[in-house]
Amino acid sequence: MTFVYDGGTLDEVGTADIPLPPDELRRWAWCTEEQIRERTSELLARRVVAALRAKAEGTVFDR
């Protein structure tokens, strides 16, 4: 199961403070939907895009 949380809007100061747990995350980046599909597995891309659409539509998707 994957959970995606909306952390609100972040500015440069807020993004500078994002911790990178050394054993879990090496880096992060802002990405377009196309870049998400290029950088992640097909399964993860579908989940992230569904989360973005749910946010935009003010709803949830359970699959």
Side-chain angles (χ1 to χ4, degrees):
M1 186 175 297
T2 301
F3 294 96
V4 178
Y5 298 94
D6 179 3
T9 302
L10 298 173
D11 58 15
E12 288 184 30
V13 173
T15 57
D17 293 335
I18 295 174
L20 299 177
D23 295 335
E24 298 178 32
L25 189 62
R26 290 180 294 226
R27 65 181 184 263
W28 67 271
W30 300 115
C31 296
T32 63
E33 280 191 34
E34 181 180 331
Q35 290 169 323
I36 292 166
R37 295 180 204 290
E38 292 170 358
R39 295 177 180 209
T40 64
S41 68
E42 183 179 339
L43 175 62
L44 184 55
R46 282 197 316 264
R47 290 177 175 174
V48 172
V49 170
L52 291 171
R53 290 187 180 148
K55 167 83 170 135
E57 296 173 16
T59 188
V60 298
F61 293 113
D62 63 1
R63 294 186 190 239

